[in-house]
């Protein structure tokens, strides 16, 4: 990677910002994108709305944990390679620690108060995602053409479920932008983002990504370490959208192989729903249970193996994508893709965010209150999380 000027204060700034998010970002990957937008576009102004949407579109399109890839890129943008590492560590560590403790038998998620908090945290995800969709729609769909592209993206992800629908919506949105958004792109330059990644570093990262994907299956069976690295690396490398989409791949690797029982798998999945941060930290829980290796070592190995492929791929693509997005035609394409991202987030606001949280009038009122606290009173997201979580306790009890 090429050098950029950055100081230890910036690295510390990144770590503390993402640690706060790692402790409060409940609701899954779509909600995480809302938290990131509030924290880094609205409040800290690290990048513009359109640049953030470009980044989201890229990470949605690549295999790997999309929200963690966005966070990694934001840390890289702000404070270089150390910033990227600290962003991932701070965002991932809180939930990974809780899930490892859960694997070791700490019943941290039992009891009526904990259940009420979890209920409130599901509701606050509705407010966070709604706030993100509202703000992004105003900035990225300012005309009828892009509003139409966003609506078409909603229909696409409804008709084609799963990660394939998301990728299809972004691709179709990009082509629609290329055809229909040239006028809105004319005379405008794409917001500049300077990622400290050279073309050579990008090629090395792509080579490592491909080499590990090919070599690890060939080496699997030699040691338990290589077996674990292979299974979790392939799961992280072959999943689009991240989050819940990785679960079938992990189930095939650890349950069907006999490493983890179905009951243990489902218990860990339930715990992963109740903690902040990326769902990929479920890998730490599974790694702690794997036979033939120390629990903490297994958790660390599984956690690194599942995240590394997505980050290698992102680093490999960034230097080429950054130049690509400066072209006039590419700007029109990205305007269409960004509108499609708004549609994807809008569809996700309903399913699974709304349907899993809003089960009555009380939940609706609580979510609406959270939305107003974010949009009108402009309170920090972590304050809204705390308020709505407390409201969840009152509703549940």
């Amino acid at each position: 990677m090429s050098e950029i000027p950055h100081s230890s204060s910036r690295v510390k700034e990144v770590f503390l910002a993402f640690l706060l998010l790692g402790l409060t970002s409940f609701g899954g990957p779509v909600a995480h994108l809302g938290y990131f937008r509030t924290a880094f576009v609205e409040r800290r102004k690290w990048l513009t709305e359109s640049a953030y949407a470009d980044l989201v579109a890229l990470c949605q399109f690549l295999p790997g944990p999309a929200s963690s890839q966005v966070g990694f890129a934001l840390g890289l943008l702000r404070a270089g390679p150390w910033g990227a590492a600290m962003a991932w560590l701070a965002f991932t560590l809180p939930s990974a620690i809780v899930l490892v403790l859960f694997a070791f038998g700490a019943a941290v998620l039992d009891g009526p108060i904990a259940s009420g908090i979890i209920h409130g945290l599901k509701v606050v995800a509705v407010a966070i995602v709604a706030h993100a969709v509202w703000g992004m729609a105003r900035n990225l769909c300012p005309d009828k053409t892009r509003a139409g592209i966003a609506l078409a993206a909603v229909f696409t992800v409804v008709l084609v479920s799963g990660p394939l629908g998301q990728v299809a919506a972004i691709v179709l949105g990009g082509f629609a932008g290329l055809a229909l958004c040239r006028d809105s792109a004319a005379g405008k330059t794409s917001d500049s983002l300077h990622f400290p990644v050279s073309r050579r570093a990008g090629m090395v990262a792509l080579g490592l990504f491909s080499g590990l994907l090919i070599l690890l299956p060939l080496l699997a069976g030699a040691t338990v370490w290589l077996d674990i690295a292979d299974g979790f690396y392939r799961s992280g490398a072959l999943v689009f959208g991240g989050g819940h989409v990785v679960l079938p791949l992990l189930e095939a690797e650890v349950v069907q192989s006999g490493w983890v029982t179905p009951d243990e798998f489902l218990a860990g999945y339930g715990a992963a729903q109740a903690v902040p941060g990326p769902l990929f930290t479920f890998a730490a829980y599974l790694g702690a249970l794997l036979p033939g290796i120390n629990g903490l070592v297994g958790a660390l190995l599984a956690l690194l193996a599942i995240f590394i492929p997505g980050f290698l791929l992102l680093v490999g693509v960034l230097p080429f994508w950054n130049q690509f997005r400066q072209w006039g035609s590419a700007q029109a394409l990205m305007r269409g893709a960004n509108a499609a991202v708004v549609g994807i987030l809008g569809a996700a606001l309903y399913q699974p965010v709304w349907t899993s949280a809003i089960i009555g009038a009380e939940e609706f009122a609580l979510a609406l209150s959270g939305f107003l606290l974010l949009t009108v009173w402009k309170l920090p997201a972590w304050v809204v999380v705390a308020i709505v979580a407390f409201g969840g306790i009152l509703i549940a009890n």
Side-chain angles (χ1 to χ4, degrees):
M1 294 188 183
S2 58
E3 293 293 327
I4 61 168
H6 68 272
S7 64
S8 59
S9 63
R10 277 205 171 188
V11 175
K12 181 180 178 181
E13 176 193 20
V14 169
F15 180 83
L16 293 177
F18 276 93
L19 181 61
L20 181 60
L21 289 167
L23 292 167
T24 59
S25 294
F26 294 87
V30 176
H32 298 162
L33 297 176
Y35 284 100
F36 291 168
R37 178 188 172 275
T38 300
F40 303 119
V41 177
E42 286 192 349
R43 301 187 70 84
R44 291 178 176 84
K45 302 188 185 304
W46 286 3
L47 70 172
T48 64
E49 188 83 75
S50 61
Y52 178 70
D54 284 0
L55 190 58
V56 171
L58 173 66
C59 294
Q60 291 275 9
F61 190 74
L62 293 175
S67 62
S68 291
Q69 286 170 311
V70 171
F72 184 88
L74 289 171
L76 183 65
L77 177 69
R78 185 65 177 172
W82 277 109
M86 290 301 103
W88 173 76
L89 184 67
F91 188 57
T92 305
L93 201 57
S95 58
I97 290 173
V98 173
L99 289 175
V100 170
L101 289 175
F102 185 75
F104 291 159
V108 294
L109 303 173
D110 291 336
I113 293 179
S115 298
I117 292 173
I118 292 168
H119 186 56
L121 295 173
K122 289 182 179 179
V123 173
V124 79
V126 176
I128 294 289
V129 176
H131 175 61
V133 172
W134 175 257
M136 293 178 74
R138 285 187 302 168
N139 288 283
L140 302 176
C141 302
D143 50 54
K144 294 179 181 178
T145 300
R146 279 176 277 183
I149 293 172
L151 183 61
V154 172
F155 280 103
T156 302
V157 296
V158 168
L159 294 174
V160 185
S161 61
L164 179 61
Q166 296 180 8
V167 173
I170 292 174
V171 171
L172 293 174
F175 281 119
L178 197 59
L180 304 173
C181 296
R182 288 184 178 274
D183 290 340
S184 57
K188 300 180 182 180
T189 58
S190 185
D191 299 311
S192 180
L193 286 177
H194 299 289
F195 290 99
V197 184
S198 66
R199 286 174 172 260
R200 180 178 180 181
M203 293 300 296
V204 170
L206 290 176
L208 283 173
F209 169 83
S210 303
L212 289 171
L213 193 60
I214 295 169
L215 289 176
L216 283 175
L218 299 177
L219 298 174
T223 68
V224 67
W225 290 61
L226 289 171
D227 289 345
I228 294 170
D230 172 47
F232 284 90
Y233 186 91
R234 279 189 290 107
S235 296
L238 301 177
V239 61
F240 284 88
H244 301 274
V245 184
V246 78
L247 294 173
L249 295 176
L250 289 176
E251 192 272 342
E253 293 295 337
V254 302
V255 176
Q256 296 180 24
S257 66
W259 283 349
V260 173
T261 68
D263 287 345
E264 288 173 330
F265 186 89
L266 291 175
Y269 173 58
Q273 305 294 309
V275 296
L279 190 60
F280 266 43
T281 54
F282 182 39
Y285 166 85
L286 296 173
L289 296 177
L290 296 179
I293 191 170
N294 176 273
L296 289 176
V297 174
L300 180 60
L301 180 58
L303 193 65
L304 290 173
I306 201 168
F307 276 104
I308 282 174
F311 294 155
L312 286 175
L313 196 56
L314 177 65
V315 169
V317 169
L318 277 178
F320 306 98
W321 173 79
N322 207 30
Q323 182 181 27
F324 163 79
R325 63 194 290 275
Q326 301 299 325
W327 300 344
S329 295
Q331 291 174 37
L333 187 148
M334 291 306 298
R335 281 175 171 78
N338 291 343
V341 166
V342 175
I344 291 170
L345 293 178
L349 173 60
Y350 174 71
Q351 172 68 32
V353 177
W354 180 284
T355 56
S356 65
I358 308 303
I359 57 177
E362 295 90 349
E363 287 80 7
F364 173 74
L366 192 58
L368 181 60
S369 299
F371 178 76
L372 292 175
L373 290 174
L374 286 167
T375 55
V376 180
W377 281 272
K378 299 188 183 300
L379 293 183
W382 68 269
V383 174
V384 178
V385 168
I387 292 172
V388 178
F390 180 73
I393 297 176
L394 298 179
I395 290 175
N397 297 282

